[in-house]
Amino acid sequence: MKILVPIKRVIDPYVSIRVKSDNTGVETDNVKMSMNPFCEIAVEEAIRLKEAGKAEEIIVVSVGNQSCQETIRTALAMGADRGIHVLIDQTVEPLSIAKILSKIIDDEKPGLVISGKQAIDGDNNQTGQMLAALTDMPQGTFASKIEIDGDKIQVTREIDGGLQTIKLNMPAIITTDLRLNEPRYASLPNIMKAKKKPIDQKTPDDYGIDISPRLKTLKVIEPPKRQAGIKVENISELVEKLKNEAGVI
Amino acid sequence: MTTLFFIEHANGKVSDQSLKAISATKDLGEEVHGILAGTDIESVVEEASKISGVSKIIHIENDEFSNILAEKLTSAILDISDNYNYFCAAATTTGKNVMPRVAAKLDVSQISEIIGVESNDTFIRTIYAGNAIATVQSSDAKKVLTIRPTAYKAAEASDTGCEVEKINPENIPNISEYISEELTKSDRPELTSAKIIISGGRGMQNGENFELLDKVAAKLGAAVGASRAAVDAGFVPNDYQVGQTGKVVAPELYIAVGISGAIQHLAGMKDSKVIVAINKDEEAPIFDIADYGLVADLFQVLPELEGAI
């Protein structure tokens, strides 16, 4: 079985976000970039399935500009087998990414797709579900545990009040939540080995996909700044303020 | 045209999250229909039919919908999609699971977790975990939206119920199956809907010390959260995590205890109405956004706090 893992390059989660002064977006020039944390979890889960003998090959896909190749290399160094880079410089909406991925699924016929539940830049939380819709596959979103059982997969999902378990026919689309696993760091020998692993470069035209955006970002602003409040001396002053000034307890 | 809003329910009541999120639909300027699913839910259907602003309830009465699976609900919504130009749900785990599937089937770009409606095609939403706010205009003829419940007040109930139509969808896909649910058994509210949250950070020193937070939480009816540092140190499980990679919360009161205030954490809680920080390091960045700061040893003041409320 092949596993397809779509990954996204985003601003590093520990970097402070700066809104551009012309309010057209967020500053990404000279900002440290990383693999989206939920995508790292997806790559890790695929590798664990391969190590457990449940999968033969892991293909990572990234859609975006030339530097996405670095992110693909990171996944290859973790243990994925080969990469597909769909080169595009403009911002692509989740629907378009899902369309590109659905064409790659037609070509590669993976038994499982594992993606992050959302990217921490756009916070859309859409691509996995959309890909499931376009391919008519079942979806196991926000997974904290997966177990392959013959031609089915049992997925434990993080839902608002706790956990839900569902069973899906395979092929299926899984999206990862935080508790699924702890991603590994790539070792130096594996980083060296990853340099020899193949990355196929494509463009949206190769797939005949119209990626024209449906959404237009009119402006991006900073959220209202919170002012530092006051320091209280002790608990009784704090409780008094919370009761009488803020009225929250 | 008309707006279709997916109404969730649990324990015989319409969910609070749905009641809040449906308030956003009145800004779309269209008639609003609610859709809900389940068998033996007459009292929920009646409650839903009285939600102010809703002119019709569509009740999917079919055992296959007792537990919501995205594949099945999407199919039922698509059956009636010709009648609607807006498709909305609360941005709960169910709404987030189902709506993008609907959107892709309709060949529409979804707008996720909106916090405001600027006009009938322009919406406000947060990106980068609330570190930036985007205004987004959609050119799709049909629009699919999820709505962040914390941005709205719950819709009121009216005295009389609206029309209810029962439907029984056919050709429901059978590619997924509900097995079980294990809801966290706790007297405490869950993090994403709690009015008060008390969170601990690395300053708690170990998992046992979270009991100090539990005791205060019990008195306040609060949920207990944690920073990523506390989760990474193994003090508490990952589902406690508030932050950019954990849960994004906006309670009335957020009490941060022994949390320094890494960007990661602030991104998940800075929309809280009132923030209290308790930390022995007076230079901790958490004090820059706290309404009330107390520079103190948490092991001394937490028992005091428990006693004072």
Side-chain angles (χ1 to χ4, degrees), chain A residues 13 38 120, chain B residues 128-129 131 241-246 248 263-265 267-268:
Chain A
F38 293 104
I120 59 163
Chain B
Y128 292 93
N131 285 304
Q241 193 191 141
V242 173
Q244 186 165 20
T245 52
V248 175
I263 302 158
Q264 216 288 128
H265 187 72

Side-chain angles (χ1 to χ4, degrees), chain A:
Chain A
M1 179 178 80
K2 287 184 197 175
I3 302 177
L4 189 78
V5 185
I7 57 173
K8 188 172 184 186
R9 184 176 173 84
V10 297
I11 294 182
D12 186 274
Y14 295 99
V15 166
S16 207
I17 301 301
R18 263 185 314 123
V19 171
K20 287 185 184 166
S21 53
D22 62 0
N23 294 122
T24 56
V26 164
E27 194 60 69
T28 52
D29 290 346
N30 303 314
V31 172
K32 185 183 176 208
M33 305 293 280
S34 295
M35 194 191 306
N36 179 45
F38 293 104
C39 301
E40 284 184 334
I41 295 172
V43 173
E44 175 66 33
E45 196 65 17
I47 296 168
R48 290 186 189 189
L49 286 171
K50 188 180 169 188
E51 286 169 347
K54 307 260 186 194
E56 283 81 49
E57 190 183 31
I58 300 162
I59 308 155
V60 292
V61 184
S62 194
V63 179
N65 65 18
Q66 193 61 40
S67 48
C68 285
Q69 296 237 350
E70 261 178 61
T71 313
I72 293 175
R73 287 282 169 219
T74 306
L76 297 177
M78 286 172 74
D81 296 295
R82 64 184 165 95
I84 299 174
H85 174 214
V86 183
L87 178 65
I88 171 164
D89 284 317
Q90 73 199 72
T91 312
V92 211
E93 287 166 14
L95 180 64
S96 300
I97 294 176
K99 286 179 180 178
I100 292 170
L101 294 173
S102 74
K103 294 290 180 187
I104 295 175
I105 287 177
D106 286 348
D107 294 344
E108 301 283 355
K109 302 195 170 42
L112 200 58
V113 179
I114 310 178
S115 75
K117 73 166 178 180
Q118 78 188 63
I120 59 163
D121 48 6
D123 286 339
N124 284 307
N125 196 329
Q126 298 173 6
T127 307
Q129 296 90 314
M130 288 183 154
L131 180 58
L134 297 176
T135 54
D136 277 320
M137 287 185 198
Q139 64 191 55
T141 52
F142 326 143
S144 63
K145 190 179 168 200
I146 61 173
E147 235 172 312
I148 295 175
D149 178 11
D151 56 357
K152 302 219 174 193
I153 183 164
Q154 184 154 313
V155 184
T156 304
R157 306 178 55 231
E158 304 248 356
I159 58 169
D160 285 331
L163 298 171
Q164 179 190 63
T165 305
I166 56 174
K167 200 173 237 182
L168 309 175
N169 291 0
M170 284 172 58
I173 314 272
I174 307 297
T175 78
T176 62
D177 216 320
L178 285 173
R179 279 200 283 184
L180 187 58
N181 60 49
E182 290 264 348
R184 69 192 66 192
Y185 292 101
S187 67
L188 191 59
N190 286 341
I191 292 170
M192 300 312 289
K193 254 198 274 176
K195 291 185 175 163
K196 294 202 186 79
K197 292 182 180 175
I199 299 178
D200 224 6
Q201 191 162 71
K202 301 279 192 185
T203 67
D205 285 345
D206 293 332
Y207 301 105
I209 299 284
D210 172 17
I211 53 158
S212 40
R214 316 290 184 81
L215 306 177
K216 191 169 151 193
T217 300
L218 302 182
K219 65 172 177 189
V220 175
I221 57 167
E222 276 185 38
K225 282 259 183 299
R226 279 192 94 99
Q227 297 293 321
I230 56 161
K231 290 263 169 49
V232 294
E233 288 304 315
N234 50 47
I235 285 292
S236 53
E237 189 188 349
L238 175 66
V239 171
E240 189 272 322
K241 296 273 188 204
L242 291 178
K243 275 190 178 144
N244 302 322
E245 197 175 89
V248 286
I249 60 170

Side-chain angles (χ1 to χ4, degrees), chain B residues 178-198:
Chain B
Y178 170 87
I179 303 289
S180 63
E181 238 164 48
E182 191 186 314
L183 299 180
T184 310
K185 282 195 190 64
S186 167
D187 304 335
R188 306 280 157 68
E190 43 167 309
L191 272 173
T192 46
S193 60
K195 287 198 168 65
I196 303 179
I197 295 174
I198 180 162

Side-chain angles (χ1 to χ4, degrees), chain B residues 24-40:
Chain B
T25 60
K26 69 175 189 299
D27 298 335
L28 300 171
E30 309 273 358
E31 199 179 318
V32 179
H33 292 178
I35 184 167
L36 78 177
T39 40
D40 297 325

